[in-house]
Amino acid sequence: MLSYRHAFHAGNHADVLKHAVQSLILEALGTKDKGFCYIDTHAGAGGYALSHEWTQKKAEYLGGIGLLWQQRQDWPELADYFAAIEAMNDGGRLDYYPGSPKVAAHFQRPQDRLVLMELHNNEVDNLRQNMRRSEVAIHHRDGFEGLVALLPPTPRRGLVLIDPPYELKEDYHKVADSLAKAYRRWPIGIYAIWYPLLAKQVDRSDALKKALARSGFERILCAELSVSPQADDFGMHGSGMVVLNPPWKLGEQLAGLLPRLAQRLGQDGQGSWMLEERS
């Protein structure tokens, strides 16, 4: 359970989707002066050096943020997402990539609160180093347990990001179970859940989405981005985000964004996307 290290995948196509959706939600929360609370259940290291040997092993960022970085002026709807990346780099270079905590920190105002959870011993140490600011609360604990324990938060408006590694199939059940409990404690919160799209023999995304639809939330948005066709036996071809209680206009924003991301990040022209909204 504690073997996963996100540095191997930092900045890949899944990170682009996850952090783009995260940025659009936080941008919406920031339009009101009233503070918000951001809760991250699986915070990881907070930020990543793209020159690190782990990141360079597969260099997945080259097929993700690397394909957008030099043309970022062509993506005005993601200006804040790119600004979060620029804040970690000098002179327009792409040497570092932010994890979701660093993305959230870009949007944080004095009245906003960030709560980060990470269970991995080494990763939580890296997280503390990368997020050395008094306005951030860091918890060395299991994110599923911690989420329910910390709800409802103060301030009472905000976003929860849930993106476990799903190395164990039990994670899918834990996500759905945690959201059902979260609904009872904080039904007005926005919850964004990331999940992988895997090969046919091992993909559990449909079951997860059905379970989340039963968690109690009436308004549900689901966005998926694939960069290659689905294999039969092995590999991740894309990822998705389920947003419970999505902010106004998020679906409209993603309807314009996803086709362009699929075209730009799709391998050999085989990118695809899906967007569903229920209210």
Side-chain angles (χ1 to χ4, degrees):
M1 181 177 67
L2 295 179
S3 62
Y4 179 85
R5 306 298 288 271
H6 190 68
F8 288 100
H9 313 288
N12 68 0
H13 58 84
D15 264 2
V16 170
L17 175 65
K18 176 173 61 181
H19 295 146
V21 172
Q22 177 194 11
S23 296
L24 291 173
I25 296 172
L26 291 172
E27 184 179 323
L29 286 169
T31 58
K32 295 184 178 180
D33 291 336
K34 190 174 181 180
F36 64 79
C37 182
Y38 170 81
I39 300 175
D40 201 320
T41 63
H42 297 75
Y48 305 91
L50 297 180
S51 60
H52 193 282
E53 60 178 318
W54 290 355
T55 309
Q56 287 293 323
K57 186 172 183 179
K58 292 186 177 180
E60 292 184 12
Y61 69 93
L62 294 176
I65 188 60
L67 294 175
L68 304 179
W69 184 246
Q70 296 303 325
Q71 289 79 39
R72 56 192 181 278
Q73 69 279 356
D74 297 332
W75 302 80
E77 64 271 60
L78 296 180
D80 280 317
Y81 166 52
F82 289 121
I85 303 173
E86 289 170 349
M88 295 186 68
N89 293 277
D90 295 323
R93 294 170 58 89
L94 184 60
D95 297 321
Y96 298 93
Y97 185 80
S100 50
K102 281 285 189 181
V103 173
H106 172 72
F107 291 87
Q108 187 181 19
R109 305 163 300 177
Q111 64 268 40
D112 303 324
R113 182 168 172 244
L114 268 58
V115 180
L116 313 176
M117 289 176 274
E118 176 55 47
L119 184 58
H120 195 291
N121 291 334
N122 299 118
E123 287 290 73
V124 77
D125 288 340
N126 292 333
L127 180 64
R128 291 185 177 119
Q129 289 283 24
N130 288 324
M131 304 295 295
R132 287 181 288 185
R133 28 189 307 155
S134 58
E135 304 90 345
V136 177
I138 297 177
H139 297 255
H140 185 193
R141 69 194 299 182
D142 174 75
F144 294 120
E145 171 273 327
L147 171 63
V148 179
L150 293 171
L151 296 182
T154 302
R156 289 297 183 97
R157 58 191 296 267
L159 166 66
V160 173
L161 179 67
I162 303 175
D163 62 332
Y166 297 101
E167 285 188 307
L168 299 176
K169 62 182 181 181
E170 288 82 1
D171 280 354
Y172 292 89
H173 172 74
K174 289 180 179 180
V175 168
D177 182 63
S178 297
L179 266 298
K181 294 176 180 176
Y183 175 76
R184 294 192 289 269
R185 297 180 67 93
W186 192 39
I188 64 170
I190 302 171
Y191 299 83
I193 302 95
W194 177 88
Y195 57 91
L197 296 175
L198 303 174
K200 294 177 182 178
Q201 294 182 12
V202 293
D203 188 73
R204 296 183 175 89
S205 59
D206 284 342
L208 176 63
K209 288 184 285 186
K210 290 177 182 176
L212 292 175
R214 298 190 296 267
S215 60
F217 296 88
E218 294 183 359
R219 297 175 54 243
I220 301 176
L221 183 148
C222 179
E224 293 184 350
L225 175 68
S226 295
V227 299
S228 62
Q230 185 180 34
D232 290 326
D233 54 357
F234 179 78
M236 184 178 80
H237 64 95
S239 65
M241 293 287 287
V242 168
V243 183
L244 308 175
N245 290 334
W248 184 56
K249 286 194 174 183
L250 180 62
E252 180 181 327
Q253 290 172 308
L254 291 177
L257 179 63
L258 287 171
R260 298 177 62 212
L261 287 176
Q263 182 179 29
R264 187 72 183 107
L265 302 183
Q267 300 169 8
D268 300 321
Q270 298 188 83
S272 61
W273 62 280
M274 183 276 290
L275 182 66
E276 295 178 347
E277 192 164 8
R278 189 192 80 185
S279 59

